[in-house]
Amino acid sequence: MKKFLVLALLACGVMVALHFQQQSAIRNGVMAANVSHTAKKLVDCTNCTGQSKKCINNVCETGSIYYTSSQVLAGTPVRYRCFYHYEWSDGSISPTYYVIQEFQCRD
């Protein structure tokens, strides 16, 4: 009986401590979920694929596209070879790609 009482008092003390910790976290603007001691699930970047995509800090980002130059190709209809690359929030830059299309390249 004494063991049960001691365990019950310990469990009660832990619950009270967690309650005060949670209330303090809420008052300080901290997410209450952090108090529950559950691991945060990181974003899975395994599906972060394609020229414009890059996983940065476990977030799949779509880069901003920048057209860098163009060439007019001979023939009818007139076509354009447009060169471009992507840039992401971490300052990285993709390789240069190109596309051939029947309208002028964007700036």
Side-chain angles (χ1 to χ4, degrees):
M1 184 67 166
K2 285 182 184 180
K3 272 187 174 179
F4 176 76
L5 185 56
V6 168
L7 289 176
L9 287 172
L10 284 174
C12 183
V14 169
M15 294 302 291
V16 168
L18 284 175
H19 173 75
F20 284 115
Q21 184 180 10
Q22 183 179 21
Q23 293 304 312
S24 175
I26 290 170
R27 278 192 304 276
N28 294 324
V30 177
M31 295 293 294
N34 291 339
V35 177
S36 68
H37 304 292
T38 56
K40 279 186 172 181
K41 182 181 178 188
L42 297 177
V43 174
D44 183 8
C45 286
T46 55
N47 293 326
C48 190
T49 58
Q51 288 180 352
S52 66
K53 304 290 186 185
K54 184 175 182 180
C55 187
I56 300 171
N57 297 324
N58 292 316
V59 175
C60 185
E61 289 188 15
T62 301
S64 298
I65 191 168
Y66 294 92
Y67 287 89
T68 55
S69 64
S70 64
Q71 296 173 333
V72 178
L73 303 176
T76 304
V78 173
R79 295 182 305 155
Y80 301 87
R81 180 178 289 137
C82 303
F83 295 89
Y84 62 95
H85 68 265
Y86 295 96
E87 296 182 15
W88 290 274
S89 66
D90 67 351
S92 60
I93 299 173
S94 74
T96 298
Y97 302 103
Y98 73 88
V99 62
I100 297 174
Q101 56 195 28
E102 294 183 1
F103 49 92
Q104 292 185 352
C105 308
R106 295 187 253 163
D107 291 335

